[in-house]
Amino acid sequence: MRRRVPFSWMLLVFFLLQCRCSHGFVGRALQKVQKDFQALTRRVTARHILVADEQVALALKRKIREQSIDKNIFVVDVFAEAARKYSLDESNRENGGLLGNLVAQGYCKSSILDRACFQVPLGQLEGPIQSEYGSHLLIVTERINCPKLDGKNTRLIMQDSNDIFGTLRPSDRRGKIELTDFVKDQLGFWFLVVIAGGLVAELAEKLASLLSIQNY
């Protein structure tokens, strides 16, 4: 007597066979490798100011703009001086709030601030940005290997004494990666891909065999 095969089992076998027979699984894996390589070559130079709350951050943001205009000082220099005076982040306060000079994504302690460094417009005074530490003001002065975001102009510079908010210009600097770390990471990833691919194929065969038996 033939037993009825559950429709959900049939769908599962179809999905597993598709994973086995198509190049989608490997294609997605290759896309991950490409994205990993691009992420490792992205770099940013940024400064931040950490304060207690949003209202303080907004008031300080206005003060930085006004002081830059009134005293005709490059906004990055005004920002750095404000960081020395007001920032609660003791790890970089004395360095003008410098988060890093051409550092890779993942460098910041706060994941929220780290993402913002690779999302906010280049050369703009941004914030408040809320994180687990408080409210941040942020200015990104250089960002490389992010062409979709920045185009060819990747660095904020002061061209003359009146250019207080700076001008975006191309940079000849390029991101470098630690090749050893990249290779180790990818070897581990592809090892798991091979194992997963083998398990998918084996499971598909077993389920297909089981269904063929149940149909008799």
Side-chain angles (χ1 to χ4, degrees):
M1 182 177 179
R2 296 183 66 178
R3 298 178 57 185
R4 186 177 180 182
V5 179
F7 182 68
S8 59
W9 281 35
M10 295 174 65
L11 285 177
L12 178 59
V13 171
F14 175 78
F15 170 75
L16 292 173
L17 288 173
Q18 285 294 106
C19 289
R20 179 188 176 190
C21 298
S22 71
H23 297 290
F25 186 63
V26 175
R28 287 190 294 272
L30 289 173
Q31 288 177 358
K32 178 200 179 290
V33 174
Q34 184 180 24
K35 289 180 179 179
D36 285 351
F37 185 82
Q38 290 174 345
L40 285 171
T41 58
R42 294 186 185 117
R43 293 289 186 273
V44 69
T45 299
R47 296 178 184 271
H48 89 124
I49 301 173
L50 174 65
V51 293
D53 57 54
E54 184 176 341
Q55 294 305 313
V56 175
L58 288 171
L60 185 55
K61 186 176 182 179
R62 288 193 297 269
K63 184 174 182 178
I64 291 171
R65 287 185 176 278
E66 291 170 358
Q67 187 172 350
S68 183
I69 294 171
D70 293 343
K71 297 185 177 182
N72 200 43
I73 303 175
F74 188 29
V75 66
V76 178
D77 295 335
V78 178
F79 189 98
E81 185 59 30
R84 295 185 188 97
K85 290 182 179 180
Y86 304 111
S87 182
L88 301 177
D89 188 349
E90 297 180 356
S91 67
N92 53 46
R93 181 172 59 197
E94 294 304 317
N95 203 19
L98 183 65
L99 291 169
N101 185 19
L102 290 184
V103 294
Q105 195 162 6
Y107 183 82
C108 296
K109 291 181 180 179
S110 169
S111 59
I112 295 173
L113 187 61
D114 190 74
R115 285 195 301 271
C117 286
F118 290 87
Q119 293 175 347
V120 301
L122 181 64
Q124 299 295 315
L125 181 54
E126 294 293 325
I129 298 168
Q130 297 299 125
S131 79
E132 63 271 35
Y133 298 100
S135 294
H136 304 260
L137 295 181
L138 177 68
I139 186 166
V140 176
T141 56
E142 186 172 9
R143 187 165 50 208
I144 58 176
N145 292 351
C146 298
K148 291 183 179 180
L149 187 60
D150 303 319
K152 295 181 179 180
N153 295 320
T154 60
R155 189 178 186 184
L156 181 71
I157 63 171
M158 187 178 185
Q159 295 191 125
D160 55 57
S161 59
N162 294 319
D163 191 20
I164 58 174
F165 291 110
T167 301
L168 297 178
R169 286 288 182 262
S171 172
D172 59 357
R173 300 202 281 184
R174 297 291 183 269
K176 297 180 179 179
I177 65 170
E178 292 294 333
L179 188 58
T180 302
D181 293 339
F182 178 75
V183 170
K184 285 181 180 178
D185 177 69
Q186 295 306 318
L187 284 175
F189 170 73
W190 280 104
F191 177 74
L192 293 176
V193 167
V194 171
I195 291 177
L199 291 175
V200 166
E202 183 179 353
L203 183 57
E205 289 177 359
K206 288 183 178 180
L207 283 175
S209 176
L210 179 62
L211 290 177
S212 64
I213 292 173
Q214 291 191 348
N215 281 327
Y216 288 99

